Amino acid sequence: MFYHVKELQYTAKPSKPDPVYAKKLQEVLGGQFGEISVMMQYLFQGWNCRAEGKYRDMILDIGTEEIGHVEMLATMIAQLLDGAPVQDQEEAAKDPVIEAVLGGMNPQHAIVNGLGAQPNDSVGYPWTARYSIASGNLLADFRANLNAESQGRLQVCRLYEMTTDPGVRDMLSFLIARDTMHQNQWMAAIEEIEQTQGSIVPSNFNQEFEKQDVSYSFMNFSEGEDSSAGSWANGPTLDGQANFEYVQNPEPMGQKPSLQPGPASLHGTAPEELRIRQGLGKMEPLK
């Protein structure tokens, strides 16, 4: 059960309207690493959680917070669109360079949404559930969460640099701070789980069934050997099970691919001898 508190988690009020910036802000609302993505990702991870109750509670705590962040951004976007009817969208990008790059105001903000936010990214691509991850393996999910918070914080920091509006920057500074916390939160949870189940996902698959002679080999598949200087190519592996091996010139270990001819009814290109035997127009009719 959810309750809606009418006050925002933090102030979301621009100093003045800016419909072009409203278009940019859509990215951290409905983009791949936006607030809608992490909101849905965390909520479904929590609802599907079968581990200890502390993990379910923690995931749903942050998932519910992200609902509030979605509301903050939607509110900010709506206010940035105040006084910006669609016929005036050209005025939002008087600089021809900016207009060429950004295309001015997003006309859908006026035509479709009535000067409101939308669950799309900054170029109008709709949010999709394919952005979200909820696998049931908490270590895999928490690593995905850390990536989402890292990319999200990066984008919000870039948006902070793209405006001088003190009201917008104030809200973004709050979101940046919460992303700092959330990255630390997921790193702490990752470390806690790794201490009890190890660092490889999944941890309960019998390694006897994997090709263990290549389990810890770094293979040099590009020109040059700069990669050999990395910690991933020498020394103990992070799962504590072996030492990294650097393979300078990997050799093929498989066969040369050779596929059987497809059925004539598919009208593909058969090997030469079969083409000659079939001849043009001499194929048997389909039965």
Side-chain angles (χ1 to χ4, degrees):
M1 180 170 64
F2 289 88
Y3 283 102
H4 178 252
V5 178
K6 292 181 175 60
E7 292 81 18
L8 298 177
Q9 185 185 13
Y10 190 79
T11 303
K13 189 172 180 58
S15 300
K16 60 181 180 180
D18 186 344
V20 173
Y21 192 80
K23 180 180 179 180
K24 299 177 187 179
L25 207 56
Q26 281 285 159
E27 190 62 38
V28 291
L29 176 63
Q32 181 178 2
F33 300 107
E35 299 290 353
I36 294 177
S37 289
V38 289
M39 174 190 77
M40 295 295 286
Q41 182 157 306
Y42 300 161
L43 289 176
F44 274 91
Q45 287 177 9
W47 292 330
N48 295 342
C49 182
R50 298 175 184 272
E52 302 95 297
K54 67 177 180 179
Y55 292 116
R56 177 185 175 88
D57 193 32
M58 178 269 285
I59 299 168
L60 290 176
D61 280 339
I62 183 174
T64 305
E65 179 182 2
E66 300 295 0
I67 299 176
H69 293 178
V70 170
E71 184 179 20
M72 287 167 57
L73 283 167
T75 301
M76 177 64 80
I77 289 170
Q79 293 172 102
L80 287 167
L81 293 169
D82 282 346
V86 68
Q87 62 266 29
D88 294 337
Q89 62 179 282
E90 293 83 1
E91 292 298 312
K94 292 182 179 179
D95 186 319
V97 176
I98 296 177
E99 184 174 15
V101 174
L102 300 175
M105 171 186 171
N106 179 357
Q108 286 194 342
H109 275 157
I111 299 169
V112 179
N113 306 109
L115 302 183
Q118 53 187 212
N120 298 342
D121 65 15
S122 56
V123 294
Y125 192 85
W127 184 85
T128 170
R130 291 187 178 274
Y131 292 157
S132 62
I133 295 172
S135 71
N137 184 298
L138 291 188
L139 184 53
D141 285 352
F142 290 176
R143 287 173 173 168
N145 297 350
L146 178 57
N147 175 63
E149 294 288 348
S150 301
Q151 295 290 342
R153 189 175 189 274
L154 173 62
Q155 292 182 357
V156 175
C157 288
R158 287 173 173 169
L159 281 163
Y160 184 94
E161 304 288 357
M162 293 179 184
T163 183
T164 57
D165 187 302
V168 176
R169 279 191 159 189
D170 183 49
M171 183 199 72
L172 295 181
S173 70
F174 176 82
L175 294 177
I176 291 168
R178 293 308 295 156
D179 285 348
T180 297
M181 170 57 201
H182 294 160
Q183 287 187 49
N184 277 280
Q185 170 184 327
W186 295 125
M187 286 189 287
I190 289 168
E191 182 179 39
E192 183 175 291
I193 294 177
E194 285 180 342
Q195 289 175 351
T196 58
Q197 74 167 49
S199 58
I200 301 299
V201 177
S203 62
N204 55 356
F205 182 81
N206 189 341
Q207 280 197 281
E208 292 182 4
F209 300 129
E210 67 180 74
K211 194 71 173 177
Q212 293 185 68
D213 54 351
V214 295
S215 292
Y216 300 102
S217 299
F218 180 87
M219 299 183 183
N220 179 33
F221 279 114
S222 60
E223 186 176 318
E225 298 179 24
D226 292 351
S227 58
S228 65
S231 58
W232 51 83
N234 299 279
T237 59
L238 297 186
D239 63 4
Q241 300 300 309
N243 288 307
F244 286 115
E245 174 194 13
Y246 182 79
V247 181
Q248 182 176 345
N249 297 304
E251 295 289 336
M253 294 180 283
Q255 79 279 16
K256 291 183 178 180
S258 179
L259 303 181
Q260 295 295 319
S265 61
L266 294 182
H267 305 289
T269 301
E272 183 178 8
E273 65 275 10
L274 187 57
R275 296 201 304 272
I276 293 173
R277 189 163 67 249
Q278 290 176 342
L280 184 62
K282 296 181 181 178
M283 291 177 58
E284 292 292 328
L286 296 177
K287 296 181 180 180

